[in-house]
Amino acid sequence: MSNETIPEPGAESGPSAPAPATATATATATGDGTASAAPTDNAPTASVVEEGSHRATSKTKTKPVITSIDDLLTFAYKSNARLLDLPKETLKKLAITDEGIASESALVADLAPTDPTLSAPFKLLQYVARQGVPLKRAENGDLAPALNRLFDLAVVALGHSPVFRVWVNQLVDPRRGPQLSTEHLRSMARQVCADDLGLSPEQFKTADSERLVKNAIACYGLLRVLQREWTLDQFLDASYGSVWRYEAPEVTGLERAASEVVASRDLDVLGIVGENYLARLARLEYQVTQLEHEAGAARNRETRLRSELSAVEEREQSAMARADAFSADVVRLQKELAAERDNRVVDKSHMTDDYETLRTRIIRRLGGEIDLLTDGLHALRNGAPNVAEEFLDRSLLALTREVEQLKNASGGFA
């Protein structure tokens, strides 16, 4: 799609004289005598008349001679072309010197007031991005120095706009806070009025305000892409959220929506956007598939863990039952032990009493028998064996009875 003949919306709006009354026509004559609608919603009427008067000769128009960065800046600010179309060979030949930084920045400062809609920095950033060269400060390629210089000058130009004036540090360093969102950027750009730009209401109309909003958001998005801070997904999402969704026509029904799509001339752009969203959907589908697999594996793990948990709970309940039984046995045994201790105390007391009773009885019995044996021994020594025998019989009978009593008391064991 050729861009060098497309008029820049709002390119000539600024501190210039109002357009003649004849320039307000909304249609221009074509070669076959029919009328075609002029893009009055995108540009002041002066640009429309100029485009109409030169439409037939636009293909043969001589391209400007660009020999320096200053020439390129001047052309970007004063050309009605929507986009820059500078050959790479010309870009490679541009001298990039340290001495030119100050003068080029001063030139941007002089030209910035003539560009209230930020069309020039948009042209510069779009041209830099279209080359497809990643901007790296350490890169020494043929295009890198010139592209880096154009990028820096575009940032300088944005800094002169009331939209970005307080956000220059964030433009230079995308990681610096606070972060600038496209929603806030759109709100700020919509609030910019003619007084903020030092213009009269006739010099900054509603169409210019709308163009400023679109260019500001486009510049910011291109800036972040060139800084490799945004992916294409982020750029498209920001463009849709801040611009495209406000531009979408209100259509109802399948037929009207399809007619709007096929009527678009920006098929290349639709292709890029469609391919991006289809690729994103494919990635999301892949992620969904992976998540489903992970969810299935997680469900299997959950089933296995639930089974293991049930088995553990059964073992735990069995162990608890055994523990309860053991506890009951312990309590029972403790009670039995306590009772046995009590019984042993009673038995010990009884045994002590029995022992004392037995001891006393044995002592008495033995004492009595000792007396009989002593008398029997005395009788035997004195020649009375019959008396001694009687004493012995009586003593033996008493001892035998005592032995029998002891055997009966011990259960018949001796």
Side-chain angles (χ1 to χ4, degrees):
M1 182 173 63
S2 178
N3 296 310
E4 62 268 16
T5 60
I6 301 176
E8 162 58 26
E12 296 300 325
S13 62
S16 59
T22 57
T24 61
T26 59
T28 57
T30 60
D32 57 359
T34 60
S36 62
T40 56
D41 58 335
N42 291 330
T45 54
S47 297
V48 176
V49 173
E50 182 178 356
E51 178 196 3
S53 62
H54 293 285
R55 186 186 300 270
T57 60
S58 59
K59 293 184 179 180
T60 60
K61 183 177 180 180
T62 303
K63 293 184 178 180
V65 178
I66 305 296
T67 60
S68 66
I69 294 294
D70 289 352
D71 293 341
L72 181 55
L73 290 174
T74 303
F75 176 72
Y77 274 94
K78 294 186 177 181
S79 171
N80 290 328
R82 180 172 179 269
L83 302 176
L84 294 178
D85 187 19
L86 184 67
K88 291 184 178 181
E89 294 301 322
T90 301
L91 188 65
K92 294 177 183 179
K93 296 178 181 179
L94 297 182
I96 308 299
T97 63
D98 294 338
E99 293 77 11
I101 294 178
S103 62
E104 292 158 0
S105 298
L107 179 60
V108 170
D110 292 337
L111 294 174
T114 67
D115 181 29
T117 61
L118 295 178
S119 63
F122 168 74
K123 296 176 188 179
L124 294 174
L125 291 172
Q126 194 277 339
Y127 176 78
V128 172
R130 192 171 60 187
Q131 307 312 311
V133 178
L135 296 185
K136 298 179 181 178
R137 297 299 175 181
E139 187 176 2
N140 294 321
D142 294 334
L143 294 178
L147 293 178
N148 276 306
R149 178 61 60 84
L150 295 181
F151 175 86
D152 292 339
L153 292 173
V155 174
V156 172
L158 292 175
H160 286 284
S161 171
V163 178
F164 294 101
R165 192 167 292 154
V166 299
W167 296 94
V168 175
N169 291 330
Q170 283 78 4
L171 296 182
V172 176
D173 182 5
R175 303 297 176 88
R176 182 164 182 170
Q179 295 294 313
L180 175 61
S181 66
T182 52
E183 293 79 5
H184 184 60
L185 176 59
R186 176 183 176 84
S187 176
M188 290 190 304
R190 287 173 61 86
Q191 294 175 11
V192 174
C193 60
D195 290 340
D196 298 326
L197 299 167
L199 303 175
S200 64
E202 292 77 13
Q203 294 174 312
F204 189 72
K205 300 180 181 179
T206 301
D208 297 322
S209 177
E210 295 175 355
R211 177 53 54 187
L212 173 62
V213 173
K214 296 176 183 178
N215 280 343
I217 296 173
C219 287
Y220 185 66
L222 288 171
L223 190 72
R224 289 296 182 245
V225 169
L226 289 168
Q227 292 169 329
R228 288 304 176 99
E229 188 67 19
W230 280 4
T231 63
L232 183 57
D233 290 351
Q234 292 172 299
F235 176 79
L236 293 180
D237 288 345
S239 298
Y240 174 80
S242 301
V243 178
W244 296 348
R245 69 188 182 97
Y246 297 101
E247 297 295 318
E250 296 182 1
V251 295
T252 56
L254 170 64
E255 295 79 6
R256 293 193 62 186
S259 70
E260 291 291 340
V261 173
V262 298
S264 175
R265 296 182 179 180
D266 298 323
L267 300 182
D268 49 354
V269 177
L270 289 177
I272 294 175
V273 175
E275 182 180 6
N276 174 265
Y277 278 103
L278 289 176
R280 195 183 306 187
L281 287 175
R283 292 197 301 270
L284 291 176
E285 289 177 356
Y286 176 77
Q287 292 175 3
V288 169
T289 302
Q290 292 296 110
L291 291 175
E292 288 177 347
H293 290 164
E294 293 177 3
R299 285 193 293 269
N300 293 336
R301 289 196 300 271
E302 180 185 10
T303 302
R304 177 174 56 80
L305 291 175
R306 285 184 180 276
S307 177
E308 294 177 359
L309 179 61
S310 299
V312 170
E313 288 177 347
E314 291 178 359
R315 292 196 297 270
E316 181 184 8
Q317 291 176 357
S318 177
M320 291 296 293
R322 291 196 301 272
D324 292 340
F326 291 153
S327 297
D329 289 342
V330 169
V331 172
R332 178 179 57 80
L333 292 174
Q334 287 176 343
K335 290 181 178 179
E336 292 179 357
L337 178 61
E340 190 66 24
R341 286 174 177 172
D342 293 340
N343 292 335
R344 295 289 75 75
V345 171
V346 174
D347 291 344
K348 182 179 181 181
S349 176
H350 290 169
M351 290 176 66
T352 301
D353 292 342
D354 292 344
Y355 170 76
E356 291 297 329
T357 300
L358 179 61
R359 188 175 70 87
T360 301
R361 193 182 74 189
I362 292 299
I363 290 174
R364 287 177 181 177
R365 174 64 62 187
L366 292 176
E369 298 309 320
I370 289 173
D371 291 339
L372 287 175
L373 291 175
T374 301
D375 291 340
L377 179 61
H378 181 71
L380 183 62
R381 286 176 177 177
N382 292 321
N386 294 331
V387 176
E389 183 179 357
E390 181 181 358
F391 286 152
L392 288 175
D393 289 338
R394 289 172 57 187
S395 177
L396 288 173
L397 179 62
L399 290 174
T400 300
R401 290 177 180 175
E402 189 66 36
V403 170
E404 292 295 332
Q405 289 181 358
L406 291 175
K407 286 182 179 180
N408 293 334
S410 62
F413 299 98

